[in-house]
Structures are given as C-alpha cells and as structure tokens.
C-alpha cells in the first residue's frame, strides 16, 4: 500500500479548508540537517556566538562547524564577522533576518507535521 507524502488526509490539492497538507518533503533541507539546525537554533536565542562557542555548544569539530556554517552563510541565513582580539583572530556568527524567517517557517512546518501525525 503506497503512502502519500502528505501526512494527513486532504479534501483537495490544498488540504482541508484550502490549506496545503503538511509534507515532510517540503521541509527546508538546509536547516533540517542536524548540525545546521543546531547552529541556527543556537543563534536564534543568542545575539551572536563565536566559532569556539558553537563548537563547544554543539560538541563537534572545527571542520564540522566550518562546513555547516559556510552553507548557512552562502544561503544568507547567518552572517560571519571576523575580527581580532589583540593578536588572536575571532570569528563570530549571528542570525540574519532571512535566517530568522527561515527558522520560523521551518518550525511552523515541523509543528504542522507533528500535529498532522498526531491526528492520525
């Protein structure tokens, strides 16, 4: 028996009441990856975090933070600010307005998926 991508029954192409059915395939794949979701979530509750802060908070490696932060930077979800404290380089990240909107959409979508799953 094939399952639909939609997680709840709909009365038409846009779901019940004209709203589109929640679908896992519609999730923002950029944010959905565990490490990137961790970075975006951490930055959503902090004005900014340093590279070291993120590394410690997420319990990961330099390479992991670098790779995932770069993807989020490329999408303009986060901004990277490089500076020096004395002679020591400092890399700091903050969530952009676009990143905050993307996270809000992602969270709304996840809530809809959870709600649709519990309705079954």
């Amino acid at each position: 028996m094939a399952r639909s991508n939609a997680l709840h029954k709909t009365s038409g192409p846009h779901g019940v009441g004209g709203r589109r059915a929640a679908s896992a395939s519609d999730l923002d794949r950029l944010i959905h990856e565990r490490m990137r979701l961790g970075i975006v979530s951490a930055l959503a509750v902090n004005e900014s975090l340093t590279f070291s802060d993120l590394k410690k908070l997420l319990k990961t490696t330099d390479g992991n933070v670098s790779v995932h932060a770069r993807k989020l930077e490329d999408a303009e979800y986060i901004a990277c600010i490089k500076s020096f404290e004395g002679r020591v380089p400092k890399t700091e990240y903050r969530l952009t307005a676009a990143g905050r909107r993307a996270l809000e959409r992602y969270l709304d979508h996840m809530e809809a998926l959870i709600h649709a799953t519990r309705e079954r």
Side-chain angles (χ1 to χ4, degrees):
M1 180 177 188
R3 284 188 70 178
S4 166
N5 223 5
L7 292 182
H8 58 83
K9 294 178 183 176
T10 63
S11 59
H14 296 289
V16 178
R19 291 187 64 193
R20 192 164 175 265
S23 171
S25 66
D26 292 334
L27 282 171
D28 183 335
R29 303 309 298 174
L30 185 66
I31 291 179
H32 189 64
E33 197 288 329
R34 186 182 69 81
M35 191 60 59
R36 292 190 292 266
L37 179 58
I39 291 170
V40 171
S41 297
L43 292 172
V45 296
N46 291 281
E47 188 173 322
S48 66
L49 289 169
T50 65
F51 182 92
S52 295
D53 293 337
L54 282 172
K55 181 180 162 186
K56 287 177 196 164
L57 185 66
L58 299 170
K59 297 181 175 115
T60 193
T61 63
D62 288 0
N64 232 352
V65 172
S66 291
V67 166
H68 292 293
R70 176 62 58 138
K71 288 182 184 286
L72 291 166
E73 268 186 274
D74 290 346
E76 298 182 356
Y77 284 2
I78 66 172
C80 175
I81 302 99
K82 293 189 181 263
S83 62
F84 284 88
E85 278 188 0
R87 293 178 163 234
V88 179
K90 180 179 175 184
T91 302
E92 202 165 11
Y93 297 98
R94 67 175 177 77
L95 190 63
T96 64
R100 187 162 301 279
R101 285 190 304 272
L103 179 59
E104 288 296 326
R105 279 190 309 270
Y106 176 84
L107 294 174
D108 288 345
H109 196 112
M110 286 300 294
E111 285 175 347
L113 287 171
I114 291 165
H115 180 73
T117 302
R118 288 191 171 150
E119 283 181 346
R120 295 188 134 214

